Amino acid sequence: MAFVIRQRQIAADNWQLLKPAADGSAPALPADGDVIVPLALWRGQRADLLARSGRLGVWLDGHEDPAEIAGDLACFALVAVNFSNFGDGRGYSIGRLLRERYGYKGELRAIGTVVRDHLYYMAGCGFDSFLMRDGEDPAESLAAFGDFSDSHQATVERPLPLFRRRSGTTASGH
Amino acid sequence: MYIYDEIDQRLVDERVSQYRDQTRRFLAGKLSEDEFRALRLRNGLYIQRHAPMLRIAIPYGLLASRQLRKLAHIARTYDRGYGHFSTRQNMQFNWPQLERVPDILAELATVQMHGIQTSGNCVRNITTDHFGGVAADELIDSYVWCEVLRQWAMFHPEFSYLPRKFKIAVNGAQADRAAVKIHDVGLHAVHDANGELGFRVLVGGGLGRTPIIGSVIREFLPWQHLLTYLDAILRVYNRYGRRDNIHKARIKILVKARTPEVFAQEVESEWAHLKDGPATLIPEEIQRIEARFTRSAYAKLPATDANLEVALAADRAFRNWHLRNVVRHKVPGYAAVTLSLKKTGVPPGDVTAEQMDAIAQLADRYSFGELRVSHEQNVILADVKLSDLHALWQEAHALGLATPNIGMLTNIICCPGGDFCSLANAKSIPVAAAIQERFDDLDYLYDIGELDLNMSGCMNACGHHHVGHIGILGVDKQGAEYYQISIGGSQGNDASLGKVLGPSVSQAEVPGVIEKLIEFYLAHRVADAERFIDLVRRIGIEPFKEHVYGVRNQAAADRRRQLATA
């Protein structure tokens, strides 16, 4: 069974993930409940979506530009990014942009091919919510956040790179 | 050598545990072949023609004697008693067992080594000039900057699943000995008008099936901005590089499609957001890394050594070796020595466990316990006293490591080829051996002078055939192994890509074609100082082509005539 990790815990989850139909047409919108809609649906039915009673989330595919929703982030209770396969790394950049450039503070969920071995990197890029792929082991997945005890780079979780934390300098360079 | 601190060590140890668990899950059937491939590759483990191949990182080619002894131990314990230095300054073992790789990695971690990011679609081992720190023409010690980049690249959260592999080279000297123009990113140290240090940034160079010389996208990047600027390049590539076709996925294809000018603008606009951010480098960090490098404690010596002069005058073989395998050092009284791993009959870059132990001992006795691996697949002792050269030569000679052929035709750069690699179209090692045998006469070899001959078993170009003065590429012709010969390639400041000479030839014909090329060169050079590559540049490839194929066609015609009259 697929399961959700949120804030480093296995979490109950009522979000419905809406995907375009096989022919690419927009999915039907359920009358109520919490939904995560594709970007195209948000662009096309913005007013309808805002008028609904349930909570609203949007998801971006790897080729989609987070700049498109930069001005709308306050409308969403959740933003999800799709990783289309094991090696699709575009979502890591999208996560960072949403957090660091567009200032998104809400729930940021990784969806698609999300397995234990990705989690450490995804967390470093600002993801705090994960729809794990079918067949992943919950305990092993939670342990994956601790694969490495530190990182050299600045990450969303640790905004200062290791060298600045070592030297105690927080301000920028020169 | 860069010496790990507690955090460096911990991260490498943690990688061993992580990989051990990934192997366990694969063997338990919890990870598919495909997914385990993506994971094992980024730890250097390939599944090859005969067995797995494990690639171990030698960061920027720098190795301590105790690390080489560990590699010898691994060769004996887990492999078949030898290893192979690759053109990426790494070491490859061709026969390890998949189940035992975690144990090998645990052993490596005890001497501050690993297989991290030696393959896979991530930032690979950073490479540099094998004369870093000792060359007279250097602006900076490139090793320090390579280590800065090693730390930045290791487990980078955003850039661990790139469209394709990503290779960065740093050159710290005036002469480019790091081949910065044929890397995904090349960084060439420069000073601006005020004497401030920075880097010229090249992007989109590479060999493989679409060889391209890199384009300069920034003439001067102040050193403080190195990491944020690289973040910007990698982000543009990570988001927009092609992922639909493995053969179109390198950054060079993106740069070409967008043009270098447009790509540079995209990087600049991305960088505008990152510039002066927390990843901006600070002098304290450069000093900290510099201080973690062990430094050779040079003695104060005269610039010449009388005994050396006597030995050179007395011994022709020593003189030949000194001429070819010894280069000047910036410190008076010292020299840098290349131990050749290109002895005729031995696959280029192969080294036995016994040789590794012996080289480690030479390094301890003659060169402060350090050595370097060059992308030409030789070993360099960088800090040898002039007064020790003769004794070192005698010992190296006894070990079969003193072939005086550096910079010459028989110093062939060569991939493992079809004998080992599952990608190869054709064998490369026996072809190299046949050429080395054909040119075994040293006087003839010296008369030919400086000549780079590079060979790859397939268009992935691990043997850098495009930038050889003579390049040989293994191709598949209706199931048979053939070889395409090119001439006019070059690495370094005047890098160029070779041009194909004509139709490919069979394995048996290769040495003859090379001989024809050399024959033509020797007959047409205006002076000894005009190198093979200079002549190709002066007169073009056509006359060479006519000489090789004209004569070859003539020979075929003669044979037909003989058969007809027989």
Side-chain angles (χ1 to χ4, degrees), chain A residues 65-66 86-90 92-93 96-97 101 116-118 121 125 133 140 147-150 152-153 155 159-164 166-167 169 172-174, chain B residues 5 8 10-11 14-15 18 21-22 24-25 30 35 38-39 151-152 154-158 160-161 225 235 238-239 243 270 273 276 278 280 282 284-285 288:
Chain A
D65 190 348
F86 195 91
D88 179 3
R90 295 171 295 184
Y92 298 95
S93 290
R96 277 198 101 133
L97 287 168
R101 185 160 312 162
R116 162 207 204 293
D117 304 283
H118 296 130
Y121 296 120
C125 291
R133 190 185 61 182
E140 281 182 0
D147 275 354
F148 298 103
S149 52
D150 209 332
H152 288 289
Q153 305 80 5
T155 65
L160 292 180
L162 181 57
F163 70 78
R164 281 189 190 271
R166 269 181 171 131
S167 75
T169 47
S172 112
H174 33 142
Chain B
D5 74 357
D8 293 315
R10 180 152 36 95
L11 291 175
E14 286 169 348
R15 179 65 175 124
Q18 185 194 40
D21 187 57
Q22 288 167 344
R24 176 191 65 77
R25 284 187 286 135
K30 289 181 171 179
E35 294 180 355
L39 297 172
Q151 298 190 10
W152 160 81
M154 191 167 92
F155 310 140
H156 197 300
E158 186 175 348
S160 284
Y161 290 91
H225 301 302
R235 184 172 285 171
N238 190 41
R239 292 188 65 197
R243 291 171 183 266
E270 188 62 41
H273 295 280
D276 298 322
T280 306
I282 48 179
E284 297 93 303
E285 174 62 0
R288 185 189 73 82

Side-chain angles (χ1 to χ4, degrees), chain A:
Chain A
M1 263 300 287
F3 59 94
V4 167
I5 297 175
R6 190 186 297 125
Q7 307 286 354
R8 306 285 197 275
Q9 291 183 347
I10 309 295
D13 194 75
N14 296 316
W15 286 98
Q16 290 181 67
L17 182 63
L18 304 188
K19 293 179 180 169
D23 64 358
S25 60
L29 195 56
D32 48 30
D34 302 340
V35 290
I36 308 172
V37 303
L39 179 63
L41 192 70
W42 167 247
R43 281 197 295 240
Q45 300 184 41
R46 183 186 178 107
D48 296 345
L49 287 167
L50 289 175
R52 287 177 78 257
S53 62
R55 290 189 300 163
L56 179 64
V58 68
W59 67 269
L60 303 177
D61 212 349
H63 66 278
E64 289 172 331
D65 190 348
E68 288 204 43
I69 57 166
D72 302 335
L73 290 168
C75 305
F76 308 121
L78 181 150
V79 175
V81 178
N82 185 45
F83 293 80
S84 63
N85 60 54
F86 195 91
D88 179 3
R90 295 171 295 184
Y92 298 95
S93 290
I94 295 174
R96 277 198 101 133
L97 287 168
L98 283 166
R99 292 293 194 207
E100 294 175 346
R101 185 160 312 162
Y102 306 123
Y104 178 62
K105 299 272 192 285
E107 182 170 348
L108 182 60
R109 176 173 294 189
I111 61 172
T113 307
V114 182
V115 307
R116 162 207 204 293
D117 304 283
H118 296 130
L119 294 180
Y120 180 80
Y121 296 120
M122 287 175 175
C125 291
F127 291 90
D128 57 0
S129 172
F130 309 88
L131 175 60
M132 301 300 295
R133 190 185 61 182
D134 268 354
E136 289 299 292
D137 181 284
E140 281 182 0
S141 298
L142 290 175
F145 293 102
D147 275 354
F148 298 103
S149 52
D150 209 332
S151 56
H152 288 289
Q153 305 80 5
T155 65
V156 172
E157 298 171 295
R158 278 186 287 251
L160 292 180
L162 181 57
F163 70 78
R164 281 189 190 271
R165 286 182 276 125
R166 269 181 171 131
S167 75
T169 47
T170 53
S172 112
H174 33 142

